[in-house]
Amino acid sequence: MTDDQQLRVSKIRNGTVIDHITGGQALNVLAILGIDGTSGDSVSVAMNMPSDRLGKKDIVKVEGKELSQNEVDVLSLIAPAASINIVRDFEVVEKARVERPSMVEGVLECPNHNCISTEDEPVQSRFAVVDDGVRCEYCDTIIRDDLPAHILAE
Ligand SMILES: [Zn+2]
């Protein structure tokens, strides 16, 4: 199947199709988007689909949602090859690859409770994206795994 055919399998009217997610990361993508199934939005997930480029890939389709830049930035950290298709009225109106940012600001919470960014200071969390994870700009704490668990609640 070509990518276009796969997109057509279960069409959504308005929303986002995230394709080329690293195999096995779909549930983390849902966590990043804050989707736990309670909102009533229709969500479809395909896991470990064959992919020429990735070997195996996951696909997530979310009805009624477009992603914020913060969500895209965190997404890029766990699914660097992902493509984001914005769908309106059953047509893909915008298609973009995620780009790995050099920095993510105000998105993740530092796990170090003594870090200035976690105190009641007007300091926004700031992490540099490094090879093996992200590093807090204030206290040098590195988050390697489980990035979705460190996403700040909005
Ligand atoms: Zn910190």
Side-chain angles (χ1 to χ4, degrees):
M1 268 199 306
T2 68
D3 283 353
D4 276 352
Q5 285 169 328
Q6 284 189 4
L7 288 177
R8 258 183 249 125
V9 170
S10 64
K11 280 211 163 194
I12 58 176
R13 176 188 285 276
N14 294 299
T16 304
V17 177
I18 307 162
D19 197 359
H20 299 106
I21 298 166
T22 314
Q25 291 292 338
L27 296 180
N28 285 333
V29 169
L30 294 181
I32 288 169
L33 303 183
I35 293 169
D36 60 7
T38 59
S39 71
D41 290 330
S42 129
V43 177
S44 46
V45 176
M47 297 182 79
N48 296 317
M49 307 288 284
S51 162
D52 290 342
R53 189 137 50 91
L54 300 173
K56 282 182 176 162
K57 67 173 183 177
D58 292 357
I59 305 170
V60 170
K61 300 178 194 183
V62 189
E63 184 81 45
K65 179 174 175 69
E66 294 186 13
L67 276 57
S68 70
Q69 190 58 49
N70 281 348
E71 290 170 331
V72 173
D73 283 350
V74 180
L75 183 68
S76 72
L77 301 178
I78 64 161
S83 61
I84 293 174
N85 303 274
I86 307 290
V87 177
R88 290 188 195 130
D89 221 3
F90 297 110
E91 297 293 333
V92 174
V93 294
E94 204 179 310
K95 189 169 187 149
R97 295 278 288 278
V98 299
E99 278 176 46
R100 195 173 167 86
S102 56
M103 183 89 76
V104 286
E105 263 183 285
V107 184
L108 298 167
E109 184 173 34
C110 184
N112 171 8
H113 294 296
N114 296 318
C115 178
I116 188 168
S117 71
T118 63
E119 315 251 320
D120 282 337
E121 307 279 343
V123 176
Q124 220 183 23
S125 78
R126 188 148 43 136
F127 288 84
V129 177
V130 293
D131 284 346
D132 58 348
V134 295
R135 188 185 62 230
C136 178
E137 290 278 278
Y138 300 104
C139 69
D140 285 340
T141 297
I142 291 183
I143 309 175
R144 286 189 180 80
D145 302 310
D146 211 12
L147 285 174
H150 296 285
I151 295 170
L152 278 168
E154 296 203 12

